[in-house]
Amino acid sequence: MKKQIKAICTIIFFLSTCLVYAKDIDISSPHRSISLTVSVDHDVSFRVETGNELLFEVRDVMLDTDKGFFPNRNPQIANIKRNAVNRMIAPEIKEKYAEIAEKYNELIITFKDKSKLQFRVYNDGIAYRFITATDGIITINSEHAEFIFDKASEIIYQQDTNINSDYEAPYIRKKIDELTNQSMGNLPALVKTPSSKNVLFLESNLKNYPCLWLKQGESNLEAHFWNYPKEYRADGNSKNRRSIVSTHDYIAKTDGARDFPWRVFAIGEQDTDLLTNQLVYLLAPECQIKDPSWIKPGWVTFDWWARRGLYGVDFKAGINDQTAKYMIDFAADFGIRYFLFDDGWTYKEDLTRTIDGLNMDEVVKYANSKNVDVMLWVTFDLFDSQMEAALQQFQKWGIKGIKIDFINRSDQEAVDFYWRSAEQCAKYNMVIDYHGAYRPDGLRRVYPNVLTREALIEFEYSGASIKDDPDHHCTLPFIRNVAGPMDYIPGTMNNGTKNGFRMDGNRPMGQGTRAHSMALAVITESPMQMLPDAQSDYYRERECTTFLTQIPVEWDEIVPLKGKVGDYIALARRKGSTWYVAAITDWTPRKMELKLDFLDNDTEYMAEIFKDGANSDIRATDYKREIRKYVKGDMAEINFAPGGGWVAKIFK
């Protein structure tokens, strides 16, 4: 079903032809805060400015194909077209807003070789893409672009050199002039200019084409793409046998007449400006599901760590009917929508059979009686090779969603899998969570049954490393979450201070305080949030669990309050007339005041607050719950412990 489009204010067309000698073409954002100038000479380049400041340049923009370069060298312009759009979009899944304002000015340059470059300039960023009009199939040898920033700028991104990347590298922060030749990383990548302005690399509408990465060239950052695979790992198991060991000498074979992915640059004067950016969603194609009303976001409880940590029960925890029913009872008790069987439920490598001791028909029937839906974990390799048979069996069992893991690639073939799996799962009314996955690219707008995905260091890393720390938590909202929903898995009750943290792969401990871990359920944006701990831990901590599982996963509005990448963040989200306000800090204890001027006038609100306890600096599980009243304009005063947090439900 196409998105509901409201209040189309203006769509203006200007057409100029025969501008063969045009050199510089200017276009600005609707508020005129961002200007873009395209230069057409030996090649096509453009520069982006805010006010009098040059933010960055992109040089030598072209496709290298078996049909030649697009645009040709020394390109000639056939015509120029300009559009202006101002409208409201009602998304199927409300990640940030019930309605999204879409406002941009557009420039489409058609060259004599019939190729086009399309530019859109928004008030919070710019985007460009190629459009070709060649008969038959074309081979894309490479796509070129050189990204020029002030050398004193900093880049924050997942540095990686692995064609079989799991997209779970830590974010590094370096000056661009400190990058060595061939340094590489994937998107999103945030560049902070010397004046502290933010430029976040993203992409959208990634279909039948490999993901964009960044590589440091001889002088500047350059576009990089992984070549099309030729050979895969011959041994191994379903988690790694699709790993690439050799490739062809091209990045894609595709239709010669098509539009290509959008290259997106989100721009923010302040760090908090990034929190509201939705360019990846807006630049994606519209929804292809005729009636998406069956898609249900929600909380998930699952058995991966939980079955290793259950206590106080009279059965042996494991992958069996009794354990599953206990976890389903927990979901029903707290209004949790989904229960997920993670790795281990299949008989060998057959997705249509379960291991002994697990009766899927009986478990799903029991879950249905409790108004709980069941999801299943699968690997990319097994699901891709058994997709139709697996989905038919899942439908017979009554399964409502799947978690697809260990894709660990972003070449053209892997990208095609995302589109095929999203489309096929939609036919069977199943939602999806991708793990071992590259970052969101707009697919969730086309197939909103794609609720969330990984592409980050998330809570599970706490079992084997110190990478998932409060500094990381204070980085994710400004970079990874701007691309789209992320399956971080917030809300652990096993909390550790910096000195008290311990690694345990069977029962991970989260770094930061109890209030910090609960606040992450508001700060980390995802229409599908998962609880990591054993259900018996949540029963023990019923006061926290009740609050946590009532936090919505869809929102009508977001209001950024304060933030600095890597240091701290505070924001408010509204669902109906109820606000949730959350704030976290890194390992630095700090004080913060939040002005509650987003509340309605002449209205008294009640607030349920969870904050750091008096001794949370030495015992991270220490917290305090309090009830108080607020009115518009009041200040919420926060005293953070190291790795601390604060979260409030504010309601009329």
Side-chain angles (χ1 to χ4, degrees), residues 344-367:
W345 67 269
T346 60
Y347 176 75
K348 296 184 177 180
E349 293 193 343
D350 187 349
L351 294 181
T352 67
R353 296 178 61 189
T354 65
I355 60 172
D356 292 340
L358 178 60
N359 185 325
M360 193 65 74
D361 283 314
E362 182 179 332
V363 168
V364 174
K365 183 178 180 180
Y366 184 80

Side-chain angles (χ1 to χ4, degrees), residues 391-623:
L391 287 172
Q392 289 177 7
Q393 182 60 62
F394 294 174
Q395 187 178 63
K396 290 178 183 177
W397 282 332
I399 302 303
K400 299 299 183 182
I402 58 174
K403 175 181 173 182
I404 306 175
D405 206 348
F406 292 100
I407 306 170
N408 292 9
R409 286 169 39 195
S410 59
D411 54 273
Q412 184 188 21
E413 183 180 68
V415 171
D416 285 348
F417 167 77
Y418 284 82
W419 284 75
R420 285 188 293 105
S421 59
E423 181 180 19
Q424 287 302 106
C425 286
K427 291 178 181 178
Y428 287 88
N429 287 15
M430 291 184 197
V431 297
I432 302 175
D433 172 13
Y434 291 113
H435 271 227
Y438 62 78
R439 74 280 168 179
D441 56 0
L443 178 62
R444 69 192 192 278
R445 184 178 184 185
V446 188
Y447 294 104
N449 57 313
V450 178
L451 289 178
T452 194
R453 66 173 76 188
E454 198 176 30
L456 73 152
I457 287 175
E458 40 98 332
F459 175 78
E460 71 172 313
Y461 270 78
S462 299
S465 80
I466 60 171
K467 295 176 182 177
D468 180 38
D469 62 11
D471 300 276
H472 179 64
H473 304 158
C474 293
T475 300
L476 293 172
F478 302 99
I479 301 178
R480 169 59 183 83
N481 238 161
V482 183
M486 62 183 187
D487 189 13
Y488 170 76
I489 314 179
T492 181
M493 301 290 106
N494 301 315
N495 317 107
T497 62
K498 189 172 186 178
N499 293 329
F501 174 75
R502 298 291 183 271
M503 289 177 279
D504 183 341
N506 289 322
R507 188 169 175 258
M509 174 185 287
Q511 296 184 66
T513 67
R514 173 67 58 80
H516 181 105
S517 77
M518 293 174 66
L520 284 172
V522 177
I523 288 170
T524 59
E525 188 175 279
S526 177
M528 177 175 277
Q529 294 279 30
M530 297 202 182
L531 293 171
D533 298 345
Q535 291 75 14
S536 42
D537 285 337
Y538 289 113
Y539 277 126
R540 182 195 69 221
E541 303 287 350
R542 182 176 287 272
E543 183 175 70
C544 294
T545 305
T546 299
F547 181 91
L548 189 65
T549 54
Q550 289 176 354
I551 295 174
V553 296
E554 287 190 277
W555 303 97
D556 296 322
E557 185 179 359
I558 178 175
V559 178
L561 299 175
K562 293 186 178 183
K564 184 178 180 182
V565 176
D567 290 345
Y568 58 89
I569 178 175
L571 56 79
R573 297 187 192 270
R574 179 178 61 83
K575 177 71 171 180
S577 61
T578 300
W579 288 91
Y580 282 82
V581 183
I584 59 172
T585 183
D586 56 8
W587 286 126
T588 303
R590 66 180 82 239
K591 294 183 178 181
M592 183 182 291
E593 289 186 340
L594 302 179
K595 190 173 184 180
L596 308 180
D597 54 2
F598 49 82
L599 300 177
D600 291 347
N601 289 315
D602 303 319
T603 303
E604 186 175 74
Y605 289 81
M606 296 295 294
E608 181 183 10
I609 300 167
F610 284 76
K611 64 182 185 179
D612 293 334
N615 297 297
S616 56
D617 59 331
I618 56 174
R619 180 114 182 194
T621 53
D622 187 30
Y623 73 92

Side-chain angles (χ1 to χ4, degrees), residues 11 25 41 91 290 318 362 366:
I11 301 180
I25 307 154
D41 199 345
K290 290 183 179 180
E362 182 179 332
Y366 184 80

Side-chain angles (χ1 to χ4, degrees), residues 256-468:
R258 63 165 291 181
D259 50 47
F260 285 79
W262 287 101
R263 309 297 170 217
V264 185
F265 305 83
I267 297 171
E269 292 278 335
Q270 308 294 327
D271 291 4
T272 50
D273 293 338
L274 297 170
L275 301 177
T276 59
N277 194 288
Q278 293 203 279
L279 291 184
V280 172
Y281 183 91
L282 290 172
L283 288 160
E286 294 182 356
C287 179
Q288 295 300 301
I289 301 175
K290 290 183 179 180
D291 179 10
S293 61
W294 57 268
I295 301 171
K296 305 298 182 185
W299 279 90
V300 183
T301 188
F302 66 123
D303 69 347
W304 177 243
W305 298 298
R307 66 178 185 253
R308 296 168 170 82
L310 285 184
Y311 56 90
V313 297
D314 57 3
F315 56 86
K316 186 64 176 177
I319 309 172
N320 54 50
D321 294 356
Q322 287 179 298
T323 303
K325 289 178 180 180
Y326 173 85
M327 294 179 179
I328 289 165
D329 286 341
F330 166 79
D333 287 346
F334 289 97
I336 294 170
R337 179 173 297 280
Y338 294 102
F339 164 67
L340 166 68
F341 280 108
D342 212 280
D343 187 10
W345 67 269
T346 60
Y347 176 75
K348 296 184 177 180
E349 293 193 343
D350 187 349
L351 294 181
T352 67
R353 296 178 61 189
T354 65
I355 60 172
D356 292 340
L358 178 60
N359 185 325
M360 193 65 74
D361 283 314
E362 182 179 332
V363 168
V364 174
K365 183 178 180 180
Y366 184 80
N368 291 341
S369 73
K370 300 282 187 173
N371 294 316
V372 175
D373 291 330
V374 178
M375 296 180 62
L376 298 177
W377 177 96
V378 298
T379 63
F380 156 52
D381 175 64
L382 295 184
F383 188 67
D384 191 32
S385 60
Q386 303 175 41
M387 192 179 299
E388 194 60 32
L391 287 172
Q392 289 177 7
Q393 182 60 62
F394 294 174
Q395 187 178 63
K396 290 178 183 177
W397 282 332
I399 302 303
K400 299 299 183 182
I402 58 174
K403 175 181 173 182
I404 306 175
D405 206 348
F406 292 100
I407 306 170
N408 292 9
R409 286 169 39 195
S410 59
D411 54 273
Q412 184 188 21
E413 183 180 68
V415 171
D416 285 348
F417 167 77
Y418 284 82
W419 284 75
R420 285 188 293 105
S421 59
E423 181 180 19
Q424 287 302 106
C425 286
K427 291 178 181 178
Y428 287 88
N429 287 15
M430 291 184 197
V431 297
I432 302 175
D433 172 13
Y434 291 113
H435 271 227
Y438 62 78
R439 74 280 168 179
D441 56 0
L443 178 62
R444 69 192 192 278
R445 184 178 184 185
V446 188
Y447 294 104
N449 57 313
V450 178
L451 289 178
T452 194
R453 66 173 76 188
E454 198 176 30
L456 73 152
I457 287 175
E458 40 98 332
F459 175 78
E460 71 172 313
Y461 270 78
S462 299
S465 80
I466 60 171
K467 295 176 182 177
D468 180 38

